């Protein structure tokens, strides 16, 4: 009994002592992301030093304000003040800088460097919390000005008049590729990026530096997390789930983060107007393995395996359109099915050699392999007719008079196998306190084996319609048809294509002063050489140069303002899809599309209600030559592959972000743009991405009386895009637009525990975060169209554009648990 009494007393005092302390730990890095050894970390009289991997661990007093001092003979002191809770593990990873420059109220650190470069940084916490039918990084990017998408099931997006193929995506400085045959968001499933593994997200909508690759529209630069301790995270919802695990070796040299995801889009696609037997499933696994061999050498491996299975069996569809006085309906009965499968394998090795504080080299090698198949045979028997709009009629809402009856048979047997290999070396050199030099060389080899077999037969009132390009008219039964029997559309091609590319860049960074004003200058140039070859293919060797420049100035004013001008040439040498024309034939001598960018920006940081806010305004102009025009089938792009057009883009973007609610970041964005193209000197018409107006809102809030309840709102409004044109039609004759895109997704979450909310419940002790939420997709149940289906009227021989509507209102339940 006495032993039990002392044991209870001991446990009580142990808990009392532990409750009065907290722990701080992390990895100390320099400005080149290299670990710093022998850094002194002190809190009052208590202290420790970092090991050769930059790691440190220090126990400090809790429930009181403490000042942490990081000092080293090579670097300036870093001082941070925090207040920690009892028994809290606080992760702090400071970046030491030998030359911290004070500019008014602005310190030139990593974040301010991005501000100078015109880069938007997105907090990964926001990405994981904001709801969306296809939640993730792309879901947040679509709320930014100048970025649009009218398909909530797709991660594709277009930026400032560009198309879906004109955006660069990097993960840990490694370029990421998209599958080739994806034709709609339903087939796409998962984004490559696993948001649970993300540490940093940077985005530039134009005027970016020469170190980024050869695309014309934007750059999305993602960095995965380097684990510091063991963690497990779980997310589960009616749409699927994910599991993420992090681990670190005892000596801190090895670390790994691995994520597994599974997604089932049935909940979303079954809300569409087409009734189907449909269960699209998607799964992937990603891993990032890091090894710090020494203070100078570090290695990492990034791997990904992804499989998308898309089995689609449509049954019926009814689409109502027209006007109140003249309502029309399209009734469709389907037979057949579609079976698609996409398997992608990706692996990359990266090594960083930090010779000294002023010189660093990076070596990167990656391989991307995709095997894709798209098989379908779908017969659609349609009836286009007038709807009874008499409310008192027994047939109200039914089709009472048919304007067109027909059928359409679509067939495809498309197979693609692509292997892409990259090897690259990069260098960074600090010449003096104000000047840095960066360079890079890259070799890419693309081997694509592609078979495309697609045909479409259209039958109207029992008579087969021939391909319009044959110039035969079918006016049976009045006159006999004597022309050849041919499908309305027929594409057959087999391509074995190899593309070898050499590219490189060099850029110079300088920081200086004009009187009391500070300025930054970046100037660089890219070069790209490529040649297309293959079976019965022999292309010419082509070469492009892309000079680019950025200039930013920070006036020594009381107001924290920054002005920036950037621009240059942004050439886009053709990728495989851009080489393949409407008939599926590879045109090896397609030239690079060339775009001249000019971007003028004003960045104003200020405080309202003693909370930080920022207003960013940008005006931009693009002049594009050697344009490779295209049409869009859902989100698949088909190019003409002839470079016979020119185009322009101009617009204005604005974004206000800050703490509208204390402790949370929200923003409102507005964009205006106009883009037109001139094909073969026929005159300018709207490009498929002529968006005009864009409004975006991302808002976070919580209930003051119930702080555990969080509210998230993601709202996007885009004016209508051009609705496309039928097969073989002249797009100059079809300039109608789709209806405006209006989308609102809301999320409500009850947080049982997180970094800001403590809980005394025993079952919650193992968790660092635990929440349960309700998500409402398409809150106002708007009908949004992605494209048009073109249907012929047998009597007038006119064609109707029937909108293909996306998802309706859908409810989802989501659980988040992290340890």
């Amino acid at each position: 009994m006495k032993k039990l009494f002392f044991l209870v007393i001991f446990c009580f005092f142990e808990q009392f002592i532990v409750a009065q302390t907290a722990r701080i730990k992390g990895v100390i890095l320099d400005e080149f992301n290299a670990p710093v050894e022998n850094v002194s970390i002190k809190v009052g009289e208590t202290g420790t030093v970092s090991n050769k991997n930059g790691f440190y661990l220090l126990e400090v007093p809790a429930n009181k304000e403490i000042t942490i001092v990081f000092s080293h003979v090579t670097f300036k002191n870093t001082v941070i003040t925090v207040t920690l809770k009892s028994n809290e593990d606080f992760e702090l990873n400071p970046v030491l800088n030998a030359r911290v420059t004070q500019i008014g109220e602005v310190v030139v650190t990593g974040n301010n460097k991005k501000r100078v470069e015109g880069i938007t940084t997105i907090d990964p916490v926001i990405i994981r919390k904001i709801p969306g039918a296809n939640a993730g990084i792309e879901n947040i990017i679509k709320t930014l000005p100048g970025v649009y998408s009218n398909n909530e099931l797709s991660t594709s997006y277009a930026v400032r008049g560009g198309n879906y193929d004109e955006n660069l995506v990097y993960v840990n400085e490694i370029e990421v590729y998209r599958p080739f045959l994806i034709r709609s968001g339903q087939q796409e499933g998962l984004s490559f990026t696993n948001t649970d593994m993300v540490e940093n997200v940077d985005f530039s909508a134009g005027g970016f530096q020469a170190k980024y690759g050869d695309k014309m529209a934007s750059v999305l630069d993602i960095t995965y997390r380097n684990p510091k301790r063991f963690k497990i995270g779980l997310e589960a919802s009616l749409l699927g789930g994910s599991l993420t695990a992090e681990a670190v070796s005892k000596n801190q040299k090895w670390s790994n983060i691995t994520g597994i995801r599974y997604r089932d889009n049935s909940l979303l696609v079954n809300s569409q107007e087409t009734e189907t037997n449909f269960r699209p499933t998607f799964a992937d696994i990603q891993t990032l393995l890091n090894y710090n061999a020494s203070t100078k050498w570090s290695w990492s491996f990034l791997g990904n395996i992804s499989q998308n299975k898309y089995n689609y069996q449509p049954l019926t569809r009814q689409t109502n359109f027209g006007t109140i006085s003249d309502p029309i309906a399209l009734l469709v009965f389907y037979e057949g099915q579609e079976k698609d499968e996409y398997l992608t394998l990706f692996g990359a090795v990266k090594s960083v050699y930090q010779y000294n504080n002023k010189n660093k080299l990076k070596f990167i090698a990656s391989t991307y392999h995709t095997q894709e198949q798209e098989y379908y045979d779908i017969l659609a028997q349609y009836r286009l007719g007038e709807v009874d709009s008499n409310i008192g009629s027994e047939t109200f809402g039914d089709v009472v008079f048919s304007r067109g009856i027909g059928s359409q048979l679509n067939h495809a047997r498309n197979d693609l196998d692509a292997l892409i290999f990259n090897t690259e070396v990069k260098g960074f050199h600090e010449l003096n306190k104000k000047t840095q030099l960066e360079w890079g060389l890259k070799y890419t080899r693309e081997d694509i084996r592609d078979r495309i077999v697609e045909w479409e037969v259209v039958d109207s009132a029992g008579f087969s319609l021939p391909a319009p390009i044959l110039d035969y008219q079918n006016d049976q039964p009045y006159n006999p048809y004597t022309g050849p029997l041919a499908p309305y559309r027929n594409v057959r091609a087999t391509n074995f294509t190899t593309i070898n590319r050499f590219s490189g860049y060099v850029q110079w960074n300088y920081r200086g002063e004009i009187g009391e004003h500070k300025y930054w200058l970046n100037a660089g140039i890219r070069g790209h050489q490529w040649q297309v070859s293959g079976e019965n293919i022999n292309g010419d060797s082509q070469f492009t140069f892309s000079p680019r420049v950025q200039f930013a100035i920070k006036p020594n004013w009381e107001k924290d303002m920054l002005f920036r001008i950037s621009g240059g040439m942004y050439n886009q040498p053709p990728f495989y899809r851009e080489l393949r024309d409407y008939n599926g034939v590879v045109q090896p001598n397609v030239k690079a599309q060339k775009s001249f960018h000019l971007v003028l920006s004003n960045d104003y940081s200020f405080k309202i209600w003693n909370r930080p806010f920022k207003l960013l305004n940008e005006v931009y102009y693009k002049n594009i030559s050697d344009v490779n025009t295209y049409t869009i089938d859902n989100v698949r792009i088909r190019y003409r592959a002839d470079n016979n057009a020119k185009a322009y883009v101009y617009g204005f973007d604005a974004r206000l972000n800050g703490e509208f609610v204390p402790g949370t970041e929200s923003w409102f964005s507005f964009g205006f743009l106009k883009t037109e193209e001139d094909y073969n000197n026929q005159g300018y018409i709207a490009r498929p991405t002529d968006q005009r107006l864009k409004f975006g809102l991302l808002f976070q809030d919580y209930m003051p009386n119930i702080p555990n309840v969080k509210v998230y709102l993601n709202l996007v409004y885009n004016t209508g895009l051009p609705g496309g044109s039928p097969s073989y039609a002249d797009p100059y004759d079809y300039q109608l637009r789709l209806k405006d895109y209006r989308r609102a997704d809301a999320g409500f979450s009850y947080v049982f525990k997180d970094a800001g909310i403590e809980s005394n419940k025993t079952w919650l002790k193992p968790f660092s975060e635990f929440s349960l939420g309700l998500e409402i997709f398409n809150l106002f149940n708007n009908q949004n169209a992605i494209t048009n289906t073109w249907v012929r009227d047998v009597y007038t021989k006119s064609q109707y554009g029937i909108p293909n509507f996306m998802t309706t209102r859908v409810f989802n339940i989501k659980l988040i648990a992290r340890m």
Side-chain angles (χ1 to χ4, degrees):
M1 190 70 182
K2 188 179 294 184
K3 290 182 180 180
L4 179 61
F5 172 78
F6 282 113
L7 179 62
V8 171
I9 294 297
F10 174 79
C11 291
F12 172 81
F13 278 105
E14 181 190 44
Q15 291 296 319
F16 177 79
I17 293 171
V18 170
Q20 305 304 311
T21 62
R23 296 197 312 168
I24 298 177
K25 60 183 177 179
V27 175
I28 304 172
L29 304 173
D30 63 17
E31 57 188 323
F32 307 105
N33 289 327
V36 183
E37 187 180 2
N38 293 325
V39 177
S40 172
I41 305 102
K42 282 198 172 184
V43 177
E45 299 299 323
T46 306
T48 186
V49 294
S50 61
N51 64 15
K52 61 183 179 179
N53 299 309
F55 180 78
Y56 72 95
L57 174 65
L58 182 64
E59 190 173 85
V60 298
N63 299 316
K64 59 184 274 189
E65 186 176 271
I66 59 172
T67 300
I68 313 163
V69 180
F70 298 86
S71 59
H72 191 278
V73 293
T74 309
F75 302 91
K76 287 194 174 183
N77 291 356
T78 297
V79 180
I80 298 174
T81 301
V82 295
T83 301
L84 303 181
K85 298 177 182 178
S86 300
N87 207 28
E88 180 179 355
D89 276 332
F90 183 73
E91 186 175 315
L92 181 59
N93 305 310
V95 177
L96 304 186
N97 196 326
R99 287 163 291 278
V100 178
T101 304
Q102 186 74 25
I103 306 173
E105 297 181 359
V106 180
V107 177
V108 179
T109 60
N111 288 335
N112 287 298
K113 181 180 178 183
K114 294 171 185 176
R115 179 186 178 192
V116 168
E117 296 174 357
I119 292 175
T120 299
T121 300
I122 303 173
D123 187 350
V125 176
I126 294 178
I127 296 170
R128 289 189 281 268
K129 289 182 177 179
I130 300 302
N134 207 334
I137 292 174
E138 296 84 357
N139 179 52
I140 303 301
I141 288 175
K142 292 173 185 179
T143 66
L144 298 178
V147 183
Y148 93 88
S149 173
N150 63 342
N151 185 348
E152 58 267 17
L153 294 179
S154 172
T155 60
S156 298
Y157 55 90
V159 179
R160 291 180 176 174
N163 67 37
Y164 308 117
D165 288 341
E166 296 177 7
N167 305 304
L168 285 163
V169 179
Y170 294 98
V171 174
N172 285 18
E173 298 186 86
I174 301 158
E175 187 171 357
V176 174
Y177 299 91
R178 292 169 52 81
F180 292 75
L181 296 181
I182 280 180
R183 181 169 36 85
S184 69
Q186 296 173 178
Q187 298 169 330
E188 187 174 354
L190 294 166
S191 164
F192 177 90
T193 309
N194 187 330
T195 55
D196 291 330
M197 300 171 64
V198 170
E199 179 179 56
N200 186 74
V201 178
D202 294 336
F203 179 75
S204 175
F208 42 87
Q209 296 180 356
K211 66 180 179 181
Y212 295 113
D214 295 287
K215 297 279 187 178
M216 296 196 300
S218 72
V219 174
L220 178 60
D221 193 359
I222 300 161
T223 304
Y224 276 178
R225 196 162 54 248
N226 190 353
K228 305 298 186 299
R229 64 183 181 88
F230 178 76
K231 291 182 182 179
I232 294 180
L234 171 69
E235 291 190 12
S237 75
L238 299 179
L239 291 171
S242 66
L243 178 65
T244 307
E246 304 177 38
V248 184
S249 65
K250 290 184 178 180
N251 61 5
Q252 300 294 318
K253 283 194 171 186
W254 292 88
S255 65
N256 175 256
I257 179 170
T258 298
I260 301 174
R261 296 182 295 173
Y262 173 80
R263 183 175 176 88
D264 185 336
N265 270 355
S266 301
L267 181 69
L268 294 169
V269 298
N270 288 336
S271 73
Q272 295 176 302
E273 60 185 15
T274 302
E275 295 185 15
T276 63
N277 290 325
F278 188 21
R279 189 173 183 182
T281 58
F282 317 99
D284 84 340
I285 179 171
Q286 292 189 36
T287 186
L288 175 63
L289 179 65
N290 301 296
Y291 173 59
N292 293 318
S294 67
T295 56
K296 291 186 176 183
W297 275 104
S298 64
W299 298 78
S300 64
F301 170 78
L302 176 64
N304 173 68
I305 301 174
S306 175
Q307 185 172 49
N308 295 353
K309 290 187 176 181
Y310 178 84
N311 297 320
Y312 176 64
Q313 186 179 6
L315 302 175
T316 63
R317 165 185 173 178
Q318 177 170 343
T319 302
N320 297 320
F321 64 105
T323 63
I324 296 177
S325 60
D326 185 22
I328 304 174
L330 174 69
L331 302 177
V332 186
F333 298 90
Y334 294 97
E335 295 180 35
Q337 62 181 331
E338 177 174 353
K339 288 190 175 183
D340 303 333
E341 187 169 331
Y342 308 89
L343 174 65
T344 60
L345 307 172
F346 177 82
V349 176
K350 177 181 175 182
S351 178
V352 180
Y353 178 61
Q354 183 77 51
Y355 179 70
N356 53 38
N357 289 336
K358 295 184 177 182
N359 297 280
K360 177 167 59 175
L361 294 175
K362 297 179 181 179
F363 306 91
I364 302 172
S366 66
T367 301
Y368 173 81
H369 186 205
T370 179
Q371 293 178 314
E372 306 173 27
Q373 72 171 35
E374 184 182 48
Y375 293 175
Y376 57 80
D377 287 284
I378 296 178
L379 173 64
Q381 297 173 316
Y382 69 87
R383 180 184 178 194
L384 181 68
E386 298 176 2
V387 178
D388 184 358
S389 58
N390 187 353
I391 297 179
S393 172
E394 294 182 357
T395 59
F396 174 71
D398 295 337
V399 176
V400 293
F401 177 76
S402 296
R403 294 187 179 182
I405 299 174
S407 61
Q408 177 177 314
L409 176 61
N410 286 290
H411 167 93
R413 293 294 185 271
N414 298 331
D415 293 280
L416 185 140
D417 189 304
L419 181 65
I420 302 174
F421 172 75
N422 293 282
T423 181
E424 183 176 9
V425 59
K426 295 181 177 181
F428 180 92
H429 311 281
E430 184 172 348
L431 306 180
N432 54 52
K433 294 182 179 180
K434 295 185 177 182
T435 309
Q436 296 89 36
L437 181 69
E438 298 179 67
W439 59 270
L441 295 172
K442 182 178 181 181
Y443 168 70
T444 302
R445 181 178 175 87
E446 302 160 9
D447 286 315
I448 298 103
R449 294 160 294 282
D450 176 29
R451 182 193 70 166
I452 177 171
V453 178
E454 292 182 3
W455 51 259
E456 176 184 357
V457 175
V458 177
D459 182 282
S460 183
F463 304 106
S464 180
L465 301 181
I469 60 174
L470 296 177
D471 292 329
Y472 283 94
Q473 297 297 322
N474 185 350
D475 57 353
Q476 296 183 62
Y478 308 107
N479 292 296
Y481 178 71
T482 59
L485 293 176
Y488 189 78
R489 185 172 63 90
N490 186 19
V491 178
R492 294 174 181 268
T494 300
N495 302 310
F496 294 88
T497 309
T498 300
I499 309 174
N500 288 289
R501 304 179 188 271
F502 292 91
S503 60
Y505 71 89
V506 59
Q507 67 178 35
W508 173 72
N509 306 307
Y510 182 77
R511 183 175 69 241
E513 300 85 22
I514 302 176
E516 296 181 350
H517 311 301
K518 308 294 182 180
Y519 74 88
W520 296 263
L521 177 64
N522 171 274
I525 188 169
R526 287 192 65 85
H528 193 126
Q529 183 274 334
W530 76 97
Q531 187 169 16
V532 181
S533 59
E535 190 173 295
N536 300 319
I537 299 172
N538 188 17
D540 298 331
S541 177
Q542 301 187 59
F543 194 89
T544 62
F545 279 110
S546 303
R548 305 173 188 177
V549 65
Q550 291 183 336
F551 177 80
I553 185 167
K554 173 75 173 60
N556 186 23
W557 297 347
E558 183 177 346
K559 295 184 181 296
D560 184 4
M561 282 195 173
L562 184 77
F563 297 90
R564 183 176 56 254
I565 180 171
S566 59
M569 294 301 301
Y570 293 81
N571 300 326
Q572 182 165 319
F575 202 52
Y576 175 70
R577 286 208 295 190
E578 296 165 80
L579 297 170
R580 198 175 70 180
D581 64 15
Y582 283 0
N583 297 317
V585 179
V586 170
Q587 305 294 333
N589 292 321
V590 173
K591 294 182 289 186
Q593 300 183 85
K594 301 176 179 64
S595 176
F596 170 76
H597 287 202
L598 180 63
V599 183
L600 303 175
S601 308
N602 169 246
D603 186 323
Y604 175 36
S605 297
F606 56 96
K607 287 190 177 182
I608 301 178
W609 312 305
N610 203 30
R611 298 197 292 269
F613 285 83
K614 180 183 289 186
L615 176 64
L616 176 64
N617 300 298
E618 290 194 329
V619 179
Y620 58 89
Y621 173 78
K622 301 180 185 179
N623 186 285
I624 312 173
S625 59
D626 292 326
V627 174
N628 195 350
T629 57
Y630 58 90
T631 58
I632 297 179
D633 175 13
N634 288 341
V635 294
R636 176 190 285 177
I637 298 173
R638 296 189 185 276
Y639 291 92
R640 290 183 186 267
D642 59 9
N643 298 113
N644 283 348
K646 56 186 177 181
Y648 68 84
V649 185
Y650 65 81
F652 168 77
D653 288 342
R655 176 172 175 254
L656 175 65
N657 68 294
E659 295 187 15
F660 293 91
V661 176
T664 64
E665 183 182 11
S666 303
W667 62 70
F668 172 80
S669 62
F670 165 77
F672 165 79
L673 77 79
K674 183 177 181 180
T675 177
E676 292 185 325
E677 64 187 16
D678 178 4
Y679 182 72
N680 277 340
N681 296 317
Q682 298 181 70
Y684 282 97
I685 58 172
R687 304 189 81 197
T689 53
D690 186 30
Q691 174 193 319
R692 296 299 171 90
L693 292 179
K694 155 71 178 287
F695 296 91
L697 175 67
L698 187 148
F699 194 76
Q700 301 184 78
D701 199 357
Y702 60 87
M703 295 186 179
N705 297 328
I706 315 177
N708 295 68
V709 177
K710 311 292 185 180
V711 181
Y712 310 101
L713 180 64
N714 182 0
L715 187 149
V716 173
Y717 169 82
N718 297 330
T719 53
L721 292 167
S725 58
S727 297
Y728 301 114
D730 185 349
Y732 279 79
D733 296 332
Y734 291 85
Q735 286 297 296
L736 297 176
R737 289 180 176 266
L738 299 170
K739 291 184 177 180
D740 296 349
Y741 181 84
R742 297 167 294 169
R743 178 84 185 181
D745 298 323
F748 305 88
S749 178
Y750 187 89
V751 180
F752 293 87
K753 184 180 180 181
D754 67 5
I757 298 176
E758 290 290 336
S759 176
N760 295 323
K761 295 183 179 179
T762 305
W763 66 275
L764 285 174
K765 285 185 178 181
F767 299 99
S768 61
E769 180 181 354
F770 193 94
S771 65
L772 183 64
L774 171 68
E775 296 178 327
I776 308 175
F777 306 135
N778 198 357
L779 180 64
F780 303 113
N781 202 27
N782 294 314
Q783 280 193 317
N784 294 312
I786 178 175
T787 52
N788 282 323
T789 294
W790 297 93
V791 177
R792 291 173 59 95
D793 183 336
V794 68
Y795 297 106
T796 65
K797 296 184 180 179
S798 60
Q799 300 214 51
Y800 289 87
I802 315 299
N804 295 314
F805 293 119
M806 296 302 293
T807 59
T808 58
R809 184 188 295 117
V810 174
F811 294 88
N812 184 39
I813 298 174
K814 187 175 183 179
L815 171 69
I816 297 176
R818 293 188 173 90
M819 302 176 64

